[in-house]
Amino acid sequence: MKRLLLIFLVVASLASCTSRTNFIETSNFARVTEVQPPDVDTLIIGQDYEFVVSYRLETTCDSFEEFLIEEDGRDIYIGTVVRTVAESGCDVINDVVTEDEVFLFTAEDNGFNRYQFFFLQNPQGNDNSSYIRFEIPLASE
């Protein structure tokens, strides 16, 4: 997970500012409010599965950018990245406003009989981050 945070910090530090006045683009980990796992008891090798990730929008200029993924055998860490593009300023959203995005996962033989998914829920920038965790068995058929 530390590599995921390091990669993200490098990407965020490379966030661009163009020559246009007040144009700022940044990327940050979103606060994930809920994850709906696939409605299965077991993942089957070779099949695709969808996790619906609900994340919080902090400003009116936020939009989904990507999922940052770090795999470690049976453990998969997923960070939801939001891009903020502000040309003339953004309004802070005081209410809880969420968006949904689908994380698509293809089950592969990982040498274990299960997968553990860790969705970064509350990014703290250190080892105090919290996660939404799912453990799902894996089968060949």
Side-chain angles (χ1 to χ4, degrees):
M1 186 61 207
K2 290 181 182 180
R3 282 186 292 176
L4 179 65
L5 289 174
L6 178 62
I7 290 169
F8 178 74
L9 291 175
V10 169
V11 170
S13 69
L14 296 176
S16 63
C17 294
T18 68
S19 60
R20 292 189 282 169
T21 306
N22 295 330
F23 181 78
I24 300 171
E25 181 178 333
T26 59
S27 295
N28 297 298
F29 281 118
R31 294 182 185 275
V32 172
T33 58
E34 181 182 6
V35 177
Q36 296 173 12
D39 189 20
V40 297
D41 294 326
T42 304
L43 300 178
I44 305 298
I45 293 172
Q47 292 192 15
D48 295 334
Y49 298 93
E50 294 182 353
F51 292 79
V52 179
V53 179
S54 299
Y55 59 92
R56 185 172 177 181
L57 298 175
E58 301 291 335
T59 74
T60 55
C61 298
D62 292 348
S63 63
F64 176 77
E65 183 172 351
E66 66 180 331
F67 290 111
L68 281 180
I69 302 157
E70 182 178 322
E71 294 186 45
D72 183 17
R74 69 177 177 251
D75 299 338
I76 300 178
Y77 294 89
I78 303 104
T80 305
V81 179
V82 172
R83 174 182 290 169
T84 303
V85 179
E87 193 162 345
S88 61
C90 297
D91 294 325
V92 173
I93 300 173
N94 294 319
D95 297 326
V96 176
V97 175
T98 60
E99 290 282 328
D100 293 340
E101 195 65 40
V102 174
F103 170 68
L104 185 62
F105 177 76
T106 302
E108 298 177 0
D109 186 0
N110 62 3
F112 299 92
N113 61 355
R114 61 189 166 96
Y115 272 106
Q116 290 187 109
F117 297 91
F118 297 88
F119 289 86
L120 182 60
Q121 180 179 30
N122 189 13
Q124 297 292 321
N126 55 31
D127 290 338
N128 293 326
S129 297
S130 60
Y131 299 88
I132 297 174
R133 180 182 170 274
F134 297 99
E135 183 173 329
I136 305 175
L138 180 64
S140 58
E141 277 295 323

